């Protein structure tokens, strides 16, 4: 006899939310199920995708700087922050303003401003 096991089908989130799941998995080493749950919770809170990206990148910067040197599991730490909607402290800035991560953070901030403006105009 042959037995088969069916893996549960993983539902993909709509873009740009699925991109944020991938960001957590690929850049933060978050487990896929935790990343998906965290992003789903951000969606459920009606957060702007660019705002979530901004915070993920800021938390990543925090974790990889001297400020976050005691954090052992960056993926778990950042997904827990995304799940609860916690913002990275404003006093934390990337060490090198010209780094790729700093540029990504700035771009996400600009996209967040644009999403918020588009939302205001629709109302």
């Amino acid at each position: 006899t042959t037995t088969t096991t069916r893996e549960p089908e993983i539902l993909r989130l709509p873009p740009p939310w699925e991109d944020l799941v991938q960001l957590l998995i690929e850049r933060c080493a978050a487990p896929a199920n935790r990343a998906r749950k965290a992003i789903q919770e951000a969606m459920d809170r009606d957060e702007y995708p660019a705002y979530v990206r901004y915070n993920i990148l800021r938390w990543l910067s925090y974790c990889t700087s001297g400020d976050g040197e005691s954090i052992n599991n960056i993926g778990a730490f950042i997904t827990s922050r995304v799940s609860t909607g916690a913002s990275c402290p404003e006093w934390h800035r990337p060490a090198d303003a010209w780094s790729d991560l700093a540029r990504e953070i700035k771009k996400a901030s600009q996209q967040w401003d644009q999403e918020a403006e588009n939302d205001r105009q629709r109302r």
Side-chain angles (χ1 to χ4, degrees):
T1 62
T2 313
T3 57
T4 59
T5 346
R6 290 178 33 125
E7 300 254 345
E9 186 176 326
I10 297 175
L11 299 176
R12 293 182 62 82
L13 298 174
W17 298 103
E18 188 63 33
D19 297 338
L20 296 175
V21 171
Q22 294 309 310
L23 175 64
L24 285 170
I25 294 169
E26 294 168 9
R27 297 280 298 277
C28 305
N33 60 337
R34 291 183 76 180
R36 191 166 309 287
K37 183 176 184 274
I39 297 302
Q40 181 66 56
E41 289 170 341
M43 272 180 65
D44 293 346
R45 284 192 305 273
D46 293 325
E47 292 182 352
Y48 296 118
Y51 171 76
V52 177
R53 176 178 297 280
Y54 171 78
N55 272 305
I56 291 170
L57 294 171
R58 291 211 7 113
W59 280 119
L60 181 60
S61 173
Y62 176 86
C63 290
T64 57
S65 72
D67 296 328
E69 64 189 1
S70 65
I71 299 168
N72 294 322
N73 187 329
I74 292 173
F77 179 83
I78 295 174
T79 55
S80 72
R81 298 310 184 269
V82 172
S83 289
T84 62
S87 296
C88 186
E90 284 302 316
W91 49 264
H92 172 73
R93 299 278 184 240
D96 178 5
W98 300 106
S99 71
D100 289 341
L101 186 54
R103 283 192 293 274
E104 287 181 81
I105 290 168
K106 183 176 181 178
K107 182 178 177 183
S109 176
Q110 292 166 342
Q111 289 171 333
W112 170 27
D113 289 342
Q114 187 60 53
E115 284 179 359
E117 180 60 30
N118 293 346
D119 193 39
R120 279 190 291 276
Q121 289 178 2
R122 280 192 296 268
R123 291 176 191 213

